[in-house]
Amino acid sequence: MGATEIWELYNASADAHPMHIHELAFEVVNRQSIVVNEETREVQVAPGSEPTAPEPWETGRKDTVIAYPGQVTRVRVQFNTPGQYVWHCHIVEHEDNEMMRPYRVGPVQDGQPE
Ligand SMILES: [Cu+2]
């Protein structure tokens, strides 16, 4: 509760994913190129790459950000509402294929899964 975090959304796929985080507004910080080691499946920020600023239409507070392929997209999130929520890709086929994850703010509340 009350924490501010930078979330890094690494997109090692070939598609852009509109990522939606429930119950909060966030700011887009920047994006940066990534490289994927195809043998080990490890992903890292591309050596020597520089972060790029958000797009002109991405200033202010958002609830969805497009994670471009081959990039890490960084967002600054602040958690002010206790509860259990989800964050997910807004493409239905993707969210139906595990691109939907839970997150919790604060302690477990009655009726929530642990
Ligand atoms: Cu997607």
Side-chain angles (χ1 to χ4, degrees):
M1 257 307 286
T4 300
E5 297 180 358
I6 304 290
W7 281 17
E8 296 187 311
L9 312 177
Y10 285 78
N11 184 355
S13 76
D15 302 313
H17 300 280
M19 302 305 298
H20 176 43
I21 307 174
H22 281 215
E23 285 305 313
L24 53 78
F26 57 79
E27 296 168 73
V28 181
V29 177
N30 59 34
R31 293 183 175 86
Q32 195 163 355
S33 294
I34 60 172
V35 289
V36 181
N37 182 322
E38 296 297 340
E39 273 184 32
T40 63
R41 302 303 300 160
E42 288 179 343
V43 179
Q44 67 176 65
V45 171
S49 67
E50 293 289 332
T52 57
E55 307 283 3
W57 57 86
E58 292 181 316
T59 58
R61 294 170 75 74
K62 318 288 287 180
D63 65 10
T64 302
V65 65
I66 298 177
Y68 295 132
Q71 297 195 338
V72 53
T73 299
R74 299 185 179 96
V75 296
R76 181 183 296 109
V77 295
Q78 188 170 20
F79 303 97
N80 292 322
T81 309
Q84 183 153 308
Y85 310 109
V86 293
W87 62 292
H88 63 93
C89 179
H90 244 305
I91 297 172
V92 173
E93 292 82 2
H94 294 184
E95 70 179 62
D96 284 349
N97 276 291
E98 305 291 325
M99 282 191 74
M100 177 177 289
R101 305 301 304 161
Y103 76 96
R104 177 185 301 124
V105 179
V108 178
Q109 297 172 343
D110 284 346
Q112 290 179 344
E114 294 186 36

